[in-house]
Amino acid sequence: MLISVLALSGFGLVMVYSASSVKDYQVLGNSAYHLAKQAQWLVVGLLAMLFASRLDLRLSSRSLPLHRDAVAVGFAAWGLSVAGLVAVLAAGVERYGAKRWLELGGVGLQPSEFAKLGCVLLVAALLAKWKRGELGGWQAVAQVGWMTGLVFALVIFQPDMGTAVSIAIGVFILLVLAEVNGWLLAGVAGAGGLAGVLLVFVEQYRMDRLMAFIDPWSDPSDKGYQIVQSLLAFGSGGIRGVGLGLSRQKFSYLPMAHTDFIFAIVGEELGLIGSLAVVLVFATFVVGGFMVAIGSASEYDRLLAGGVTGLIGTQAIINMCAATGLMPVTGIPLPFVSYGGSSLMLTLGCVGLVLGVARRAERSPTAVRARRAPQQPRTVAAPRDASRLSRKGQLREIPVERRRDRGAHLPRADRRAHPRAGRA
Amino acid sequence: MRAKRGRVRRSGRHAFVLAALLVAFAGVAVRLVQIQAVEGRAYAAMAKEQRDLELELPAQRGSIYDREGKPLAVTTAAKTVYAVPREVADKAGTARALAETLGGSEEKYRTRLERKSNFVYLARRVPLEQAQALENLALKGIYFQDDTRRVYPGSSLACQLLGFVGVDGEGLSGVEKQYDELLAGKPGKLICEKGLSGVPIPGGVTFREEPTDGQNVVLTIDADVQYQAQVALAETVERWKAKSGSVVVMDARTGAILALASVPDFDPNRYWEADPQALRCRPITDRYEPGSTVKAVTAAATIEKGLAKPDTVFRLPPTLKIGDRTIHEAHPRGTVDWTLTEIVTNSSNVGAVKLGMLLGPQGMYEYLDKFGLTERSAVDFPGEAMPSVPKPKDWSATSIGNIPFGQGLAVTPLQLARAIAAIGNGGYLVTPHVLQELPDSPTTKLEWPTRRAISEKTAAQMREVLKAVVTEGTGKGAAVQGYTVAGKTGTAQKARTDGVRGYAKGKYVASFSGFLPADDPAVVIVVTVDEPQGAIYGGTVAAPAFSRIGAFCMAHLGIPPRMPTVGEATSSNESSATTATASSQDTGR
C-alpha cells in the first residue's frame, strides 16, 4: 500500500509538471511553478504522513492523554474543520467562482479538504464508541448526523459540491462498515440522494453539468466542453499514449489539466496502458488499506482505516468517472496525483493514519500470537517496524522466506498487516 | 471462537465495501478500454482536427518599377495586430488605446474585443512605427504578427494604373490585379498544431513548404511623364471645372504606354478611403463618343479605298438632310468647295458625312474595324471596356449621318490612341501594353502583336492632313514649340443618361488626339476632358494640355527639335481668327 502511495505521489509530481508546464510557461514564464509547489507540498505531506502514522490513537474508557484519545482528537479535528470553514466563509479567497481557499501567510489552504479528514476521524470515533456500547444508538445517530451535517452544509455553502459529496460518501462508508442497521443505511442513502437531487436543481451550473454529462455532444463548445476535451485527450492517447510530456490537449484545450482532469492527461500521454496502470495502483491501494482495516486491532482502527481508505478510493473513482464521462463533473481532485497542496498533504496524512493502524495491529494480541507461532521464522515485524516502512531501504531487509507466505500476492507493505499472514 | 466469528462477520461489511470499490475501479477500466482503445481513433481524429492549423507562409510580393527603375509599388515589413479577447480584461481602456495608436473608431475595437472568440484581428498590415508604439503600451491580450505592407511611394502617382492590394495580399485592381500571379509569388504552407489561443504548439510542425517570393515587374510607364500628365490633366480639369478627365501617352511605334492618367485620383496607400469614381482607370475602362476625331479614320478610309485624295474637292452645302435628320456644321457657313484636307482641318460634319456616304456603311465599318475601334485593344490591364460600334446591318437610316464624324459609337481613349498611332507610325495597329519586362524571368518572351490598318502611303498622306489641323485648323492650341504636331480635335456631345434617346444639352467631351514629332512620332497622346464648363471645344480645352505633355515628352525623351519654317507656321489659307473658333461641334440634333 505504501508503495502504491509513493508511486502515485511521485507519478503525480511528474504529471503535474507535464500538465501544468505549458500554461505556467505561458502565464508565468516559469514552466516549473506548479512542479515546485507540488514538490514542497509533497514533502510537507510526507512529514504529515509520518506524523499521523506515529499517532497512537485509541478508544479507551480509561483516561488517556488527549492526543491519544480518538474521541478527543476527532472532536478537535472536527472543531478545527468547522473553524476553518467558517473562516473561509468570512475571509476566504474566491477562485473559479467559489470561496474555498484561506490565505495563510501566502499559502492557500482548503479547509474543506481538512474537513473530510476531520469528519472521518470524528465519525469513526463516535461509531466505535457506539459499537462498544458506550454510546446509545440514537445518541450516536444524532451526534453523527448533526456534526457531519454542519460540515456538509458549510462545504456546500462555499460552494463545493464535490467535497461535500465525498464527505457524505466517506461518512456513509463508515456507517456501512460499522454495521449500522440496513434500514437506517437505506434511509440515509435515500435522504442523501434526495438532497443531491435538490442541490442539483437549486444551482443552474450543477444542472448544466448534469445535462452535459448526459449528452456532452449537444454543446461541445460550452457546457459539454470539459467532458468532450477530456474524452478527446483519452482518445488521442490510444493504447500506447503519445509519450510523456507530449500531450496536445494540455495546450489550453483541456481546462484544469493539472488538477481535476489530470487523469485525462495521463491517458493521453501514457495511453491505455498508463491509465489502466493508475487504476490498478489505486485498486492495490484500496485493497491494501482494507487489509489493514480487517487486520486491525480495535474497532476504532478498523473503522478508521476502512473509512480513510474508502474515502480516498471513492474520490479516485469519482474523479476518474468524471474524467471519462461516467459521472457529472464535480471538481474532485485525483488523490496523490492532482495538483493541490491541501489535498495532497491531507491525503498523505490519511495514509499516515492507516499506517498507524497497521502499526498498532502489529502490537495487538493477534499479531503477537502470530509472531509466536512456532512454524514461522522470526519476522522483522518489530513494534517500530511499521514506522520504518516509510524508509524504503528497510523493506529489503525482510528475510527471503517471508515473500513466499500467503500474503505474497499483496504489496509488501501490506503483508504484515495481513491478518492471516501469520496464521498459516 | 466468538471473536473470530464476529470478525468474519464484521469483515463481511469491509469486504463488501472493498468489493464495491473494486467493481467501480473495474468499471473505470472498462470505460478506459472503450474510450481509448475502441473509440480512441475517432476521438483522436477530432482532437487533431481542432488542433491542426494550416498557416500560410506569406511570399514577399514583388515590386513594381517604372521603365527607368523607379519604384512605383514596394512591399515593406509591417505588423498585424490581433487580440485574444478572453485575455483582455479592460476592454474599454484597451479599445481607447488602440484607437489612439492605430486610428479608427474606439467603438469598432470595442465590439471586436467583446466578441466571444479566441482570436480577432484588430488591424492588418500596420506600419512598424505604429505597431511599435502600440507594443510599448504592453496591453494585455494584444499580440503582433510579422506581416508585410504594400507601399506606393509616389502616393497618387499612377494610382489607377497600379491599383492596390487587399488585406489578404491579393491584387484587387490595376497592374496589381493584372500581374497578381507574378507579383504574389507562391505562398508556402505550414501545417502545425495549435493551442486554443491559436499559438502553435512547440514541436508540433507536421508539414512545411517554403514560399516562393513574387517577381518584380518593370512597367513601360515613365514616372516623369506620368507625373506631368497627371499634373497637366488635373490643372485642365480644374480650370474648366470638368467632371473628370484622362490622358494616354503611348509610344506610337510599339504601343508601350508611358502614362495613363485619370482625374479624379486617390492615394493607393489608403485606397479604402477613396471615392469609387477615383479608382477608375478612365483611359481604359471608360467609353465615350469620340466625335470629330473619327473624321481622321473616315478620311483615311476614303484615301485608302482610292475614293478621294487629300486635295479632292467636295462641294458642301450649309446643311445636309439624311433621312429625317439634318446635319449642321458647328459654325454655320454658306456652300463651300473644300478639299478632303480642309474637311478635316475645319472639322466639317457635312464633309465627313459626304465622305462616309462615299464609303457606304460597309466601307465605314470596315475601316473602323481596321483601326481597331470595334474590338478591345488587348491591353494588359484588367477591365478594358468593349467599344460600342453598331454593325452595318444594325445601322439606322441616319447612322451614315453621324458615325462618320464620331457620334453614335463609343470607344475608350486608349482604343482611340491606338487608331491615331496607326496613322502616325506608318499604318500599323499596335497592341498597347504596360509591361516592359520581367527581370526575374528573363526567358519569358513578351510579344505584342501588330497588324496593318492602312498602307504606309495613306498613313503618310493622313499625317499631312493632321499636321494641317494643328497648323491651320481647329487644333492650333496643341502646337509644341520646335516640333511638328499632328492631331485631331474632338468635341462630342454626350448621350443622355436618363433613358431618353438623344444627347444631353450642354454636356460635351472635349478631346485632342495626336502625335509628335508628326513625321516620325515618338508618342501619341490623347487628352479627354469630360463636361468642361465655360468652353466645350477640344481645341480650346484639351489641346493646351496635349501641348504641355507633348513638350515635356520631347524634352524628357531627348528628341531633338526640328524647327518648322516660319512660312509653314503662318501659311494659313484661312483667317486665323475664324479657324481658331471654328472648332467642330458635332450635331446630333
Side-chain angles (χ1 to χ4, degrees):
Chain A
M1 188 188 83
L2 185 64
I3 289 179
S4 55
V5 167
L6 292 175
L8 283 171
S9 304
F11 176 69
L13 208 55
V14 173
M15 289 316 299
V16 161
Y17 180 54
S18 175
S20 67
S21 58
V22 171
K23 203 167 178 195
D24 282 356
Y25 186 73
Q26 284 171 355
V27 178
L28 304 164
N30 170 15
S31 59
Y33 173 78
H34 279 105
L35 173 69
K37 284 190 84 169
Q38 184 77 347
Q40 287 166 12
W41 279 112
L42 182 58
V43 171
V44 174
L46 288 173
L47 289 175
M49 181 168 83
L50 198 63
F51 171 73
S53 70
R54 293 294 187 121
L55 281 178
D56 192 11
L57 294 176
R58 54 185 70 223
L59 207 57
S60 172
S61 46
R62 289 166 304 180
S63 67
L64 279 166
L66 271 182
H67 73 274
R68 290 178 63 184
D69 183 358
V71 179
V73 168
F75 271 105
W78 177 83
L80 268 176
S81 304
V82 171
L85 291 170
V86 170
V88 162
L89 287 181
V93 181
E94 199 167 319
R95 289 182 207 167
Y96 314 113
K99 233 178 185 183
R100 297 179 190 171
W101 285 266
L102 206 56
E103 291 275 4
L104 274 181
V107 184
L109 293 172
Q110 274 198 68
S112 57
E113 289 292 334
F114 190 71
K116 287 185 207 167
L117 180 60
C119 281
V120 170
L121 279 169
L122 176 72
V123 174
L126 287 176
L127 289 176
K129 261 182 100 171
W130 166 69
K131 294 220 72 161
R132 275 193 174 191
E134 291 170 13
L135 205 62
W138 289 114
Q139 238 181 324
V141 168
Q143 279 210 8
V144 169
W146 84 262
M147 293 181 93
T148 54
L150 178 64
V151 172
F152 185 85
L154 285 170
V155 173
I156 276 285
F157 209 68
Q158 290 187 346
D160 187 351
M161 176 100 168
T163 306
V165 165
S166 43
I167 290 174
I169 290 179
V171 172
F172 186 72
I173 286 176
L174 279 172
L175 290 176
V176 173
L177 294 179
E179 297 175 306
V180 170
N181 180 293
W183 288 110
L184 182 64
L185 284 180
V188 171
L194 198 66
V197 171
L198 280 176
L199 285 169
V200 164
F201 278 98
V202 164
E203 281 278 358
Q204 183 58 40
Y205 80 89
R206 289 186 192 131
M207 196 69 196
D208 288 345
R209 281 183 177 182
L210 187 66
M211 296 318 287
F213 157 66
I214 292 166
D215 184 9
W217 300 99
S218 64
D219 188 6
S221 63
D222 188 11
K223 298 194 177 93
Y225 184 77
Q226 282 188 320
I227 296 180
V228 166
Q229 292 300 332
S230 181
L231 289 179
L232 294 191
F234 278 112
S236 300
I239 291 174
R240 291 197 186 162
V242 296
L244 191 61
L246 296 177
S247 161
R248 297 288 175 240
Q249 288 294 99
K250 69 186 179 190
F251 281 84
S252 63
Y253 287 109
L254 184 62
M256 309 284 163
H258 64 293
T259 56
D260 299 350
F261 281 92
I262 199 161
F263 192 45
I265 300 297
V266 172
E268 187 185 1
E269 298 197 344
L270 302 175
L272 184 61
I273 296 170
S275 56
L276 283 182
V278 171
V279 173
L280 197 67
V281 175
F282 268 112
T284 310
F285 165 79
V286 170
V287 169
F290 272 84
M291 287 306 171
V292 169
I294 291 169
S296 63
S298 71
E299 192 61 48
Y300 171 69
D301 281 356
R302 172 177 294 262
L303 287 175
L304 184 64
V308 162
T309 309
L311 181 69
I312 293 173
T314 309
Q315 286 192 47
I317 288 165
I318 291 176
N319 176 280
M320 289 171 164
C321 285
T324 53
L326 288 172
M327 270 177 126
V329 178
T330 46
I332 292 183
L334 187 60
F336 310 115
V337 183
S338 282
Y339 174 77
S342 309
S343 165
L344 181 63
M345 184 179 81
L346 266 297
T347 318
L348 287 171
C350 285
V351 173
L353 289 177
V354 178
L355 291 176
V357 171
R359 211 162 72 101
R360 287 195 285 282
E362 293 293 341
R363 280 191 266 164
S364 75
T366 8
V368 171
R369 197 172 57 226
R371 253 179 275 127
R372 281 187 194 146
Q375 66 266 55
Q376 278 296 322
R378 208 188 73 80
T379 70
V380 290
R384 290 179 57 213
D385 202 53
S387 65
R388 284 197 206 137
L389 291 177
S390 52
R391 283 173 238 143
K392 253 181 152 181
Q394 194 71 22
L395 294 170
R396 299 228 169 81
E397 292 169 22
I398 297 167
V400 177
E401 53 267 50
R402 281 286 289 164
R403 298 200 191 144
R404 289 198 220 102
D405 71 19
R406 290 177 59 187
H409 64 287
L410 295 170
R412 285 178 197 162
D414 305 317
R415 271 181 225 154
R416 257 140 305 166
H418 196 291
R420 275 162 291 186
R423 286 189 286 130
Chain B
M1 291 209 22
R2 264 177 60 203
K4 190 182 170 190
R5 219 179 299 135
R7 188 150 81 198
V8 170
R9 200 167 61 87
R10 276 178 293 170
S11 300
R13 284 280 179 105
H14 275 77
F16 172 75
V17 172
L18 176 59
L21 291 173
L22 291 182
V23 166
F25 278 123
V28 170
V30 170
R31 173 68 171 170
L32 284 171
V33 170
Q34 184 202 355
I35 61 177
Q36 293 205 266
V38 182
E39 297 169 5
R41 285 195 183 185
Y43 290 135
M46 286 165 67
K48 186 166 157 44
E49 194 180 327
Q50 75 173 1
R51 231 171 29 224
D52 268 2
L53 173 71
E54 198 177 315
L55 283 177
E56 213 182 66
L57 297 174
Q60 168 106 4
R61 193 173 177 85
S63 298
I64 303 176
Y65 298 101
D66 88 334
R67 60 166 56 210
E68 290 173 348
K70 292 195 183 108
L72 298 176
V74 293
T75 292
T76 61
K79 296 267 185 185
T80 279
V81 187
Y82 66 93
V84 179
R86 277 189 319 164
E87 297 177 10
V88 182
D90 178 14
K91 313 240 189 230
T94 307
R96 199 174 319 118
L98 286 168
E100 273 164 23
T101 42
L102 301 179
S105 80
E106 202 178 310
E107 197 53 42
K108 179 185 89 179
Y109 294 118
R110 180 134 192 199
T111 28
R112 288 196 190 178
L113 290 177
E114 275 164 5
R115 228 175 267 171
K116 252 187 129 181
S117 99
N118 288 309
F119 183 94
V120 286
Y121 277 123
L122 294 174
R124 316 254 328 241
R125 304 172 189 280
V126 175
L128 288 181
E129 318 84 69
Q130 267 183 36
Q132 189 59 51
L134 190 61
E135 235 165 320
N136 290 343
L137 298 179
L139 296 169
K140 235 182 143 85
I142 306 292
Y143 298 95
F144 299 86
Q145 202 180 331
D146 282 335
D147 211 329
T148 58
R149 176 185 173 82
R150 198 66 164 163
V151 174
Y152 302 90
S155 62
S156 70
L157 186 74
C159 52
Q160 299 93 349
L161 177 81
L162 294 171
F164 47 83
V165 172
V167 280
D168 292 319
E170 75 286 16
L172 291 181
S173 75
V175 170
E176 297 275 28
K177 183 179 183 186
Q178 179 75 24
Y179 292 112
D180 193 36
E181 216 171 295
L182 292 172
L183 288 164
K186 199 168 165 292
K189 200 157 64 168
L190 180 68
I191 298 178
C192 63
E193 297 173 322
K194 68 170 189 334
L196 196 57
S197 53
V199 181
I201 296 175
V205 173
T206 51
F207 177 80
R208 188 185 177 99
E209 187 185 76
E210 291 303 323
T212 316
D213 282 347
Q215 296 192 20
N216 292 337
V217 164
V218 176
L219 299 184
T220 58
I221 297 298
D222 185 309
D224 298 315
V225 175
Q226 176 73 33
Y227 177 74
Q228 279 300 320
Q230 278 184 236
V231 169
L233 179 65
E235 286 179 13
T236 303
V237 166
E238 195 182 341
R239 160 134 198 241
W240 301 103
K241 298 185 174 61
K243 222 171 94 180
S244 65
S246 74
V247 171
V248 178
V249 180
M250 185 173 85
D251 185 321
R253 289 156 302 196
T254 63
I257 293 170
L258 298 178
L260 279 179
S262 310
V263 167
D265 59 15
F266 68 100
D267 179 357
N269 294 309
R270 310 189 68 77
Y271 66 88
W272 52 89
E273 293 169 356
D275 173 4
Q277 281 301 314
L279 305 180
R280 312 178 67 93
C281 189
R282 292 168 186 275
I284 292 177
T285 61
D286 285 16
R287 289 185 304 209
Y288 73 114
E289 295 197 27
S292 308
T293 319
V294 170
K295 287 169 186 165
V297 173
T298 310
T302 317
I303 296 169
E304 176 83 355
K305 283 211 137 189
L307 301 172
K309 291 196 168 71
D311 54 1
T312 306
V313 176
F314 295 85
R315 168 150 300 202
L316 307 175
T319 60
L320 191 61
K321 201 163 160 62
I322 300 286
D324 59 346
R325 287 170 56 188
T326 306
I327 310 301
H328 297 270
E329 296 291 16
H331 298 276
R333 53 162 174 74
T335 300
V336 293
D337 289 322
W338 277 351
T339 61
L340 182 145
T341 305
E342 284 168 324
I343 288 173
V344 178
T345 57
N346 293 323
S347 204
S348 164
N349 295 338
V350 173
V353 172
K354 282 258 182 187
L355 298 179
M357 287 165 80
L358 270 180
L359 287 162
Q362 284 297 343
M364 187 70 222
Y365 187 82
E366 184 191 341
Y367 277 88
L368 287 171
D369 189 53
K370 282 195 169 172
F371 274 99
L373 296 178
T374 59
E375 63 187 13
R376 291 197 177 91
S377 71
V379 64
D380 52 340
F381 195 89
E384 184 184 13
M386 180 74 185
S388 165
V389 177
K391 295 229 162 68
K393 63 176 167 59
D394 300 325
W395 285 23
S396 70
T398 56
S399 286
I400 199 67
N402 64 358
I403 287 179
F405 58 85
Q407 298 276 180
L409 76 170
V411 298
T412 67
L414 183 67
Q415 287 152 3
L416 202 65
R418 185 181 179 216
I420 298 296
I423 294 171
N425 66 24
Y428 60 91
L429 210 57
V430 296
T431 302
H433 56 272
V434 294
L435 182 63
Q436 171 104 330
E437 61 172 318
L438 297 168
D440 298 324
S441 41
T443 50
T444 309
K445 231 170 125 64
L446 303 176
E447 280 191 62
W448 311 106
T450 60
R451 69 160 199 261
R452 186 149 289 281
I454 48 171
S455 71
E456 209 149 326
K457 191 179 159 212
T458 307
Q461 287 176 325
M462 276 309 297
R463 282 201 291 274
E464 295 306 316
V465 172
L466 295 183
K467 269 152 83 175
V469 172
V470 179
T471 53
E472 297 155 23
T474 55
K476 286 186 177 141
V480 173
Q481 184 72 42
Y483 299 89
T484 54
V485 175
K488 182 70 195 81
T489 54
T491 307
Q493 287 186 293
K494 288 182 76 175
R496 290 170 70 144
T497 52
D498 54 8
V500 185
R501 269 184 69 89
Y503 289 93
K505 207 169 163 61
K507 291 191 173 173
Y508 295 89
V509 177
S511 68
F512 191 91
S513 315
F515 46 85
L516 73 164
D519 295 311
D520 182 18
V523 291
V524 53
I525 302 171
V526 174
V527 178
T528 62
V529 181
D530 188 23
E531 294 183 24
Q533 312 290 314
I536 57 168
Y537 299 119
T540 316
V541 175
F546 175 97
S547 168
R548 187 170 155 188
I549 297 165
F552 180 80
C553 286
M554 292 302 103
H556 185 69
L557 301 176
I559 292 161
R562 192 186 69 83
M563 292 298 289
T565 61
V566 175
E568 267 180 322
T570 53
S571 69
S572 167
N573 52 5
E574 277 168 290
S575 92
S576 56
T578 321
T579 31
T581 50
S583 314
S584 78
Q585 182 193 357
D586 305 298
T587 54
R589 282 161 266 198

